Amino acid sequence: MKGVAVHRDRYRNFGELAAAHVDGRDYRITVKSRGSGIAVIAPHGGRIERGTSEVARAIAGEAFDLYLFEGCLPSLNFETLHLTSRHFDEPRALALLAGCHTVLAVHGVADTGQRALLGGRDCTLACAIADRLFVRGVRAQVSGHRYPGRDAANVCNRGSRGQGVQLELSDRLRGGALEPAVVEAVRCALQDRFNCRRAVAPPDLRNNSGTAP
């Protein structure tokens, strides 16, 4: 989770992290490629940023592509395994994102309230998600916060269109009473994106594309 104090990653990139830790013991990677063109990712999942894996899984369901990088250490997962989003270059993640036009990255932020902070280069999708959160009683902010997510190297912007959404959820939203509303709002916005992309695709691509429920 991200606190007020400045955190400095222990490793500069995934290569350094992988050289010091064991896959399947210290961390775990999950990749579900479903051909949807939409990826839901939790690059700081497991014990790194509590609850983000669960939220990402719920949003993706069986419809959208899913990627999780989960910390499994007994302690100090954030301090040890956190890679800042612009440095997150795990190869399996980048391979999945290269085939997706839309990317949503789920993060956790240390915040005592119940709010979602939206960033990334896909401003249209970020605003669509914010609107759907508002009508479900979840406070959402798309600007004026500390996590704009606009860097081209940010993992949320590494899809085929070079733009995605970074969703920062406060502590009380993850696992709290409003988490189902967050999941529903985001899935609704992603479903609309899926439907719009499918509607304008050539007929042969429409017939070969997956169908999100």
Side-chain angles (χ1 to χ4, degrees):
M1 285 167 283
K2 302 172 179 67
V4 176
V6 176
H7 167 76
R8 179 169 294 179
D9 291 344
R10 179 169 297 188
Y11 306 109
R12 292 174 295 178
N13 52 49
F14 179 75
E16 289 189 359
L17 185 154
H21 296 280
V22 178
D23 187 358
R25 184 192 70 188
D26 302 332
Y27 63 87
R28 178 174 60 243
I29 294 173
T30 299
V31 182
K32 300 288 185 181
S33 180
R34 299 177 171 123
S36 68
I38 296 175
V40 181
I41 69 173
H44 304 144
R47 298 172 181 172
I48 303 173
E49 292 179 351
R50 176 190 58 80
T52 58
S53 292
E54 290 79 2
V55 172
R57 283 187 185 277
I59 293 171
E62 297 298 320
F64 305 123
D65 294 15
L66 175 69
Y67 173 88
L68 308 174
F69 178 85
E70 300 179 284
C72 305
L73 295 172
S75 62
L76 300 177
N77 283 265
F78 179 84
E79 294 80 359
T80 307
L81 299 175
H82 182 279
L83 286 174
T84 299
S85 291
R86 67 181 182 277
H87 297 153
F88 194 89
D89 58 352
E90 196 280 310
R92 282 165 283 184
L94 300 187
L96 178 71
L97 301 188
C100 293
H101 55 74
T102 299
V103 179
L104 174 88
V106 179
H107 295 270
V109 60
D111 189 303
T112 56
Q114 288 184 308
R115 62 174 182 159
L117 307 178
L118 289 142
R121 292 188 160 197
D122 193 339
C123 298
T124 300
L125 182 58
C127 289
I129 292 172
D131 289 344
R132 286 158 178 77
L133 288 170
F134 274 124
V135 300
R136 290 168 174 81
V138 180
R139 291 176 56 209
Q141 192 174 342
V142 297
S143 62
H145 56 75
R146 297 177 59 232
Y147 306 104
R150 299 296 176 85
D151 194 316
N154 187 307
V155 68
C156 80
N157 298 320
R158 299 293 292 271
S160 62
R161 295 167 55 243
Q163 53 182 271
V165 172
Q166 180 169 280
L167 176 64
E168 300 271 356
L169 299 175
S170 64
D171 290 335
R172 291 171 62 195
L173 278 183
R174 287 171 279 124
L178 286 175
E179 183 181 296
V182 172
V183 170
E184 181 183 35
V186 177
R187 279 183 60 83
C188 180
L190 293 180
Q191 182 67 58
D192 286 349
R193 169 65 61 86
F194 177 90
N195 292 341
C196 287
R197 297 281 299 192
R198 192 165 188 265
V200 300
D204 57 333
L205 293 181
R206 271 184 244 162
N207 294 335
N208 292 329
S209 64
T211 301

